[in-house]
Amino acid sequence: MIVDGTPAGMKEYAKAEADIVQYLVDRAKEIALELGLSPKSAAVQAKIKAEANQHLVRLSVLRRLSAKAKMPAVHEWVESRLAEGRKVVIAAHHRDIVDELALKYGNLRIQGGMNIDDIEAQKKKFMELPVEETPVIVLSIQAAKTGHNLQVAQDILFVELPWTPADVDQTYSRLHRLGQQSSVTSTYMLTNGTIDEEIYSLIERKRNVVNQAVEGEIAEEASASEIIMKLLDNINY
């Protein structure tokens, strides 16, 4: 589901993206000077890609700003399901995004740093209380992708995406457990013209590869390198 970000949110996103592109261009020129080659040479491009793990934090800024820009669309989507009496699971990545959404919809969440008793209490409320009292639970993808059963809901919304299809599928599977009484719908909300679309394309390409990318940092670095090179495409430097 592709949505338009708010004007203010997209303005902030565009500035952050321009800053990252400028950093990458300056870094390419620096490497080119060291090697005595053109900034667009294969050797320079290879070194930029090899540094992908150093750029993950910068890409994370774009992911977060993209999520912030789509918040009105997220609320509209969630509230339309709640109006039909359906419980909803929301999946996100950044702590402040998880916190903002949880506070908006009853303050149920599963995220890193919570103790087991708190997590079990949050799940129990979501599973056992009526939708009027506990309409939504928000998941931090890395903290909640395994070991939890949330089959009382049939709708999950990904406000942010992880780097690998395995993480998407594991998170979706929190709803698709024994005892699920209906089909489960997983919706990916992408902010138009942002890194969301690139990450979604990466995930879909990985699904078509027989030997899918391994979990963890290697997968993140490989994904980051693709997006970094995409940012540098068609830039004259």
Side-chain angles (χ1 to χ4, degrees):
M1 179 180 181
I2 299 177
V3 301
D4 291 328
T6 63
M10 293 308 294
K11 183 177 180 181
E12 187 176 8
Y13 180 92
K15 182 182 184 304
E17 184 179 69
D19 289 345
I20 291 171
V21 169
Q22 187 59 55
Y23 169 82
L24 293 172
V25 168
D26 291 344
R27 179 59 183 144
K29 288 179 179 178
E30 182 181 345
I31 294 170
L33 187 61
E34 293 172 0
L35 299 179
L37 298 170
S38 163
K40 288 199 171 185
S41 68
V44 172
Q45 301 292 299
K47 191 161 184 180
I48 288 285
K49 290 177 73 173
E51 295 176 348
N53 65 317
Q54 299 174 32
H55 307 313
L56 283 169
V57 172
R58 294 182 175 87
L59 294 183
S60 184
V61 170
L62 295 184
R63 294 169 71 193
R64 177 182 170 276
L65 290 176
S66 178
K68 296 287 287 185
K70 77 181 81 165
M71 279 301 171
V74 170
H75 297 321
E76 182 179 353
W77 186 96
V78 172
E79 286 160 14
S80 71
R81 270 67 185 172
L82 300 184
E84 297 174 0
R86 294 154 63 178
K87 291 198 173 193
V88 170
V89 176
I90 303 175
H93 172 72
H94 288 90
R95 178 171 290 274
D96 63 328
I97 302 298
V98 172
D99 288 344
E100 179 178 341
L101 289 166
L103 288 171
K104 172 78 174 177
Y105 297 110
N107 208 27
L108 296 184
R109 74 193 81 187
I110 300 174
Q111 64 184 175
M114 295 176 65
N115 65 52
I116 294 175
D117 289 341
D118 285 345
I119 289 173
E120 291 304 315
Q122 303 265 306
K123 287 195 298 183
K124 183 178 175 66
K125 288 180 181 179
F126 184 70
M127 292 293 291
E128 296 182 1
L129 295 178
V131 65
E132 293 79 14
E133 296 182 45
T134 56
V136 173
I137 190 166
V138 186
L139 310 182
S140 171
I141 293 170
Q142 291 304 315
K145 65 184 181 181
T146 59
H148 306 291
N149 297 339
L150 301 169
Q151 65 269 31
V152 71
Q154 286 84 48
D155 295 282
I156 179 168
L157 176 67
F158 284 85
V159 175
E160 299 179 276
L161 287 172
W163 291 112
T164 70
D167 283 352
V168 172
D169 295 345
Q170 285 181 320
T171 306
Y172 158 87
S173 293
R174 297 314 94 217
L175 284 66
H176 206 278
R177 314 303 295 172
L178 186 65
Q180 177 57 259
Q181 299 298 308
S182 184
S183 59
V184 176
T185 301
S186 179
T187 301
Y188 314 118
M189 186 176 286
L190 317 176
T191 308
N192 188 27
T194 71
I195 195 173
D196 282 357
E197 295 176 297
E198 298 300 332
I199 295 175
Y200 181 77
S201 295
L202 281 170
I203 289 171
E204 291 306 298
R205 287 202 298 274
K206 287 178 181 179
R207 289 191 189 281
N208 295 325
V209 176
V210 175
N211 296 317
Q212 290 184 351
V214 295
E215 296 292 336
E217 285 187 79
I218 296 174
E220 290 187 359
E221 290 172 19
S223 300
S225 68
E226 287 194 47
I227 292 177
I228 286 165
M229 302 319 295
K230 191 85 171 180
L231 288 171
L232 285 172
D233 279 352
N234 304 316
I235 299 296
N236 293 318
Y237 55 91

